[in-house]
Amino acid sequence: MKPLLTAIREGRLYLDGGMGSMLQAAGLPEGRLPDVWGGENPQAVQAIHRAYLEAGCRLITTNTFGTTAPKVEPYGYTVAQVMSAAVANVRAAMDQAGVAEAYVCADIGPTGKLLRPYGDLDFEEAVARFAAPIRAAEEAGADCILIETMSDLYEMKAAVVAAKENCSLPILASLIFDGSGKLLTGGSPQAAVALLEGLGVDVIGLNCGLGPQEMAPVFRQLWEAASVPLLLQPNAGLPRSEGGKTVYDVTPADYAAQMAELAPMATLLGGCCGTTPAHLAALIQATKDLPLPEVTWKDTLLISSYCQAVALDGHDPVVIGERINPTGKKKLQAALRAGDMDYVLNEAFQQEEAGAHILDVNVGLPGLDEPTVLTQTVEAIQAVTGLPLQLDTSNPEAMEAALRRYNGKPLINSVNGKEESLAAILPLVKKYGGGLVCLTLDDNGIPADAEGRLAIAQKILRRAEAMGISRRELLLDGLTMPVSAGGDNAKVTLETIRRAKAELGVKTALGVSNVSFGLPQREVLNQSFFTQALQAGLDGAIINPKSGAMMGAYHAYRALQGLDSQCQTYMEAIQHITPTAPAPAAASPAPTAPAAPAASGEATLCHAVCKGLKEAAAAQAKALAEEGRDILDIINGELVPALDQVGQGFERGTLFLPQLLMSAEAAKGAFQVLQGYLPAGESQGEPQILLATVQGDIHDIGKNIVKVLLESYRFRVLDLGKDVPPETIVAAAQARKIPLVGLSALMTTTAPAMAETIRQLRQAGLACKIVVGGAVITQDYARQIGADCYAPDAMATVHYAQEVLEG
């Protein structure tokens, strides 16, 4: 049999369909983990595999979506036992169907938890959870790892890192986007491509959540950005409830017709929830004669955070903010030594608001534990801003520590022509991915002419490409030397930039302001040199974005080069910058918060909450209380409006879930301080809202997000946890006289448990309102099972709670 990657290159392959919905039809008991039940009922699972094989599918997914230690060990099984049995079931089905050439995909699903700092699961703990089933899959004889239904790029990164470190199998990575084209944590298709291609996955795709028509816009965005084959596994439409069972309305014929429109972009096709062997047979018949997609190489370098990607396309330059670097900055040095992260974060906010696209992060100071401090600083910045980062250190240990924990695909600053540097940095780029800044110096120093610098660049290129790192990932830094030290220094740098673009076909970066070192009125020289560098082909400009002169030059260049449609960005930006002097920190206000703390405590508290600064919010709350302000006035007049402001940004799509959660945590921190100033008992009371993930479902990510937000709005929450039987929910709601119950379900197989819970609540005659949500729940499904409200996201639950409990 051909290796899987060879088969993918030679022809379209077909994955199977909705294992969960098929297991329900085969008798999976409500509340039973499908993975365990499949091992105990091999004939039922083998029959499902065999039906898909007979339909023509040749990529068969193991029944191991939930096979991690916390999920299977309570049933008395090990991860290895469950995975081994699942792989054996696929092989047995192949024998029964008489199919010799098919591939076993070891299915790896999400943990159901958010990773820190937004949740309670540590990145390394997530890697360890994924590592066990991945090792077991290779040992059991699987042909590839299929990481699927991931709604968070950080969790996806943990799973891919686990796969790269624990097996040698091909990696297929599939994500679940919502109808707005975003992941749960706000990630865009471009950010997903940046991360996954940087990590070196073999196939990228989409599955679950949506039907083919609803999934089409996101899939087209993947196709436009990706340079690897794509897979596509939609649901058979959206679910509804019929006779207590979850059903899907898209017929096999309709599914095939809708998928045929997307098939020219997909190398691997299949189905997810609700897709039966009949759906797959129809799909194969409709698409088997279509030409294989021609996967084209995209030369754009994508740098990403958890939510957004910045494109360096060789034509439109980007600004890399240089201010988080302690060199020559006494206040930043003091803040880093004192662990004052709020100072660092405010510097990040100001650069973002001034127009930076990427933030350089350097914490190199004598005496600091740089691996620890750089990692902590990167994590803190990523907790409150969606801008991608440039990791700037000469310490390989610090670089690896920060790279591993970075949420996205960063810029890496830097490598040079020294053997020591090449040997230390290139393997990190290969493993974790990242755009790489290449300094044109070596053991002999910095060449005096462009010829010498280009020779070093060619050496770095050869070594990178020999390791499988494409030159699209590289930015050549021609090195800016002070003109005060040599009259030709600027000319040599500019020639290096021009020739690097023309002769080597690489993108370029420069630290622009070095050119004026030692001279008066530095900004005059910097601005002129910056314009010349842009004209020479500079792609990544490392500058101070708070300088009006530099940003004026940048926006003017883009307008004059036709890169700014109708000069809109120029006209917006020029209102807030002064071309000849640095702009004040607050000159360009953010859409959701002041650009910098104002003089009054109220404005500072608002800033802290809106920006997710928990320590600052607590400190400002205490200061206001100590001033004698009425505590309820502070809460209702400052905290709640700030949260509303952030919530509105979330609903408009200008802020994402991580920012919403960090703001909620900041508000909670402030409220906890203020509680100490309230009269005894005033903030206490019986729970108002009961939350639970329904029986059989141990994915509590959605429920936990809702809890954080509700508590930040001062609602009192009783959290029953996950995998909660209907009887337990009914008893708690009855005993505590709960007016509002919130139920969550992630999986198709557990949606019926939600319906049963609602039935029992109604049967008990309780007057409580019921709000439901989760990846598999829709408005129609909620209505059909008798819920009072469907909440598509966490803020919708908050609004409903306000209506029910405050209305």
Side-chain angles (χ1 to χ4, degrees):
M1 189 169 69
K2 299 174 185 175
L4 175 58
L5 295 182
T6 300
I8 288 174
R9 287 191 295 270
E10 293 180 355
R12 182 176 282 104
L13 296 176
Y14 293 91
L15 293 137
D16 50 12
M19 173 60 73
S21 46
M22 291 291 289
L23 287 171
Q24 285 179 315
L28 173 68
E30 188 176 299
R32 187 71 170 170
L33 185 68
D35 316 46
V36 169
W37 187 81
E40 295 170 341
N41 297 270
Q43 292 182 339
V45 176
Q46 290 169 20
I48 295 169
H49 291 324
R50 186 171 68 250
Y52 283 117
L53 286 162
E54 290 171 349
C57 301
R58 292 298 178 264
L59 285 172
I60 305 301
T61 307
T62 59
N63 178 35
T64 54
F65 182 81
T67 300
T68 59
K71 297 179 184 180
V72 302
E73 288 180 354
Y75 292 90
Y77 295 95
T78 65
V79 166
Q81 287 173 326
V82 174
M83 183 62 75
S84 178
V87 172
N89 278 336
V90 178
R91 296 293 183 197
M94 290 169 58
D95 291 340
Q96 295 163 14
V99 175
E101 295 193 3
Y103 301 91
V104 180
C105 301
D107 190 31
I108 306 295
T111 63
K113 290 185 172 293
L114 273 179
L115 274 63
R116 292 177 183 154
Y118 316 118
D120 57 5
L121 182 63
D122 183 74
F123 179 81
E124 293 300 342
E125 185 181 349
V127 171
R129 287 195 186 187
F130 291 123
I134 287 168
R135 282 194 302 269
E138 185 165 41
E139 291 169 0
D143 297 300
C144 70
I145 303 297
L146 172 60
I147 304 166
E148 63 151 314
T149 322
M150 288 289 180
S151 60
D152 174 18
L153 288 179
Y154 204 28
E155 185 176 26
M156 174 63 89
K157 177 175 180 175
V160 174
V161 168
K164 294 182 72 172
E165 292 179 344
N166 290 278
C167 78
S168 59
L169 301 176
I171 303 171
L172 286 57
S174 186
L175 295 149
I176 175 172
F177 284 79
D178 63 23
S180 70
K182 299 292 184 183
L183 296 172
L184 174 68
T185 47
S188 68
Q190 294 77 15
V193 169
L195 171 72
L196 294 172
E197 289 193 355
L199 289 170
V201 304
D202 299 291
V203 177
I204 298 172
L206 305 178
N207 77 287
C208 203
L210 301 170
Q213 292 179 328
E214 296 83 5
M215 199 175 278
V218 175
F219 193 65
R220 291 192 178 95
Q221 291 184 60
L222 281 189
W223 169 253
E224 291 168 0
S227 300
V228 298
L230 301 183
L231 72 82
L232 181 63
Q233 291 184 282
N235 290 349
L238 301 176
R240 61 181 177 84
S241 179
E242 185 176 282
K245 294 184 177 181
T246 304
V247 298
Y248 293 81
D249 284 334
V250 176
T251 66
D254 289 341
Y255 187 79
Q258 293 171 18
M259 288 287 281
E261 297 180 13
L262 302 174
M265 297 178 284
T267 301
L268 279 65
L269 288 172
C272 203
C273 300
T275 55
T276 65
H279 286 83
L280 272 297
L283 169 65
I284 293 168
Q285 183 62 33
T287 60
K288 61 185 177 64
D289 295 327
L290 294 176
L292 189 67
E294 183 179 349
V295 179
T296 58
W297 180 257
K298 315 301 189 305
D299 195 47
T300 297
L301 167 58
L302 292 175
I303 300 302
S304 69
S305 65
Y306 71 87
C307 65
Q308 64 178 285
V310 171
L312 290 98
D313 60 7
H315 303 288
D316 196 350
V318 303
V319 172
I320 303 169
E322 68 180 5
R323 297 293 299 170
I324 305 176
N325 185 321
T327 304
K329 301 181 183 72
K330 292 183 179 180
K331 289 184 178 180
L332 179 58
Q333 292 174 11
L336 290 172
R337 293 192 187 282
D340 181 5
M341 199 56 64
D342 281 355
Y343 182 91
V344 177
L345 297 181
N346 272 311
E347 187 63 67
F349 297 144
Q350 291 173 26
Q351 292 186 92
E352 180 177 20
E353 290 152 5
H357 305 105
I358 298 169
L359 299 179
D360 181 83
V361 182
N362 183 312
V363 300
L365 277 176
L368 281 189
D369 178 357
E370 193 173 356
T372 299
V373 175
L374 180 60
T375 301
Q376 291 173 343
T377 304
V378 165
E379 290 181 334
I381 294 171
Q382 288 208 291
V384 296
T385 177
L387 287 189
L389 305 182
Q390 174 172 273
L391 309 181
D392 186 357
T393 177
S394 59
N395 182 330
E397 182 185 354
M399 182 65 78
E400 179 165 21
L403 261 178
R404 186 175 180 87
R405 308 281 295 210
Y406 181 82
N407 191 351
K409 178 188 174 187
L411 272 178
I412 297 168
N413 191 9
S414 57
V415 73
N416 60 55
K418 297 178 182 180
E419 184 59 37
E420 180 183 16
S421 176
L422 293 166
I425 300 301
L426 292 181
L428 299 181
V429 179
K430 178 63 176 175
K431 180 175 182 178
Y432 296 109
L436 179 61
V437 177
C438 306
L439 305 183
T440 51
L441 62 86
D442 58 14
D443 291 308
N444 297 316
I446 301 173
D449 57 16
E451 196 69 36
R453 297 182 194 185
L454 290 171
I456 295 172
Q458 289 173 322
K459 174 185 176 182
I460 297 172
L461 282 172
R462 287 193 298 270
R463 291 290 294 275
E465 291 181 328
M467 289 197 67
I469 301 169
S470 166
R471 69 177 56 198
R472 85 166 176 192
E473 307 295 325
L474 309 180
L475 290 92
L476 178 72
D477 189 331
L479 297 176
T480 304
M481 305 299 292
V483 292
S484 59
D488 289 336
N489 279 348
K491 291 167 59 178
V492 170
T493 299
L494 294 173
E495 181 186 351
T496 304
I497 292 295
R498 281 192 292 267
R499 291 181 60 184
K501 300 278 286 191
E503 298 173 19
L504 303 182
V506 296
K507 300 170 187 71
T508 59
L510 280 180
V512 175
S513 61
N514 290 343
V515 74
S516 64
F517 184 77
L519 294 172
Q521 296 293 320
R522 293 186 63 183
E523 200 164 55
V524 176
L525 276 172
N526 292 346
Q527 183 182 27
S528 182
F529 178 65
F530 183 28
T531 300
Q532 293 178 56
L534 290 169
Q535 190 64 46
L538 179 61
D539 296 296
I542 306 172
I543 66 171
N544 175 11
K546 296 193 291 183
S547 163
M550 298 299 277
M551 292 306 291
Y554 171 75
H555 290 298
Y557 171 82
R558 292 189 71 252
L560 293 169
Q561 291 293 315
L563 299 170
D564 182 0
S565 178
Q566 299 182 326
C567 300
Q568 286 298 311
T569 303
Y570 174 82
M571 289 189 290
E572 292 169 8
I574 208 68
Q575 300 176 49
H576 306 293
I577 61 178
T578 304
T580 57
S588 179
T592 59
S600 70
E602 293 88 348
T604 304
L605 179 57
C606 176
H607 172 85
V609 172
C610 287
K611 292 299 188 182
L613 303 176
K614 187 172 182 178
E615 292 182 6
Q620 291 303 319
K622 182 177 181 181
L624 290 173
E626 295 289 344
E627 289 174 7
R629 283 281 305 274
D630 183 84
I631 302 304
L632 292 179
D633 281 350
I634 299 172
I635 293 170
N636 296 319
E638 305 296 339
L639 288 182
V640 173
L643 279 171
D644 288 342
Q645 196 173 4
V646 176
Q648 290 162 12
F650 174 75
E651 291 171 332
R652 290 194 304 267
T654 58
L655 295 176
F656 303 111
L657 179 64
Q659 294 157 300
L660 183 66
L661 289 175
M662 296 307 292
S663 291
E665 289 289 353
K668 282 178 61 180
F671 175 63
Q672 287 168 1
V673 169
L674 295 172
Q675 275 186 309
Y677 295 87
L678 287 171
E682 187 166 333
S683 63
Q684 305 301 313
E686 285 296 311
Q688 302 163 290
I689 305 169
L690 181 155
L691 296 179
T693 301
V694 298
Q695 186 172 32
D697 201 324
I698 62 172
H699 300 87
D700 57 1
I701 181 171
K703 172 185 63 64
N704 291 345
I705 291 168
V706 170
K707 179 183 177 183
V708 168
L709 290 182
L710 287 171
E711 290 181 340
S712 72
Y713 275 87
R714 298 186 66 214
F715 289 112
R716 299 184 298 277
V717 177
L718 173 63
D719 183 2
L720 295 186
K722 57 197 176 185
D723 189 17
V724 185
E727 297 79 11
T728 302
I729 295 171
V730 172
Q734 197 165 35
R736 308 294 287 271
K737 296 182 173 57
I738 299 289
L740 179 60
V741 171
L743 303 176
S744 173
L746 175 74
M747 297 165 27
T748 301
T749 53
T750 58
M754 181 179 283
E756 174 60 18
T757 302
I758 293 175
R759 188 191 69 79
Q760 291 194 26
L761 284 166
R762 301 302 191 206
Q763 187 178 50
L766 300 181
C768 61
K769 296 292 185 179
I770 302 170
V771 56
V772 298
V776 298
I777 308 303
T778 66
Q779 176 70 63
D780 286 344
Y781 188 86
R783 177 180 53 78
Q784 290 160 3
I785 62 177
D788 296 293
C789 176
Y790 162 65
D793 56 49
M795 280 306 299
T797 306
V798 171
H799 294 325
Y800 187 64
Q802 291 172 324
E803 176 186 328
V804 171
L805 302 174
E806 298 176 350

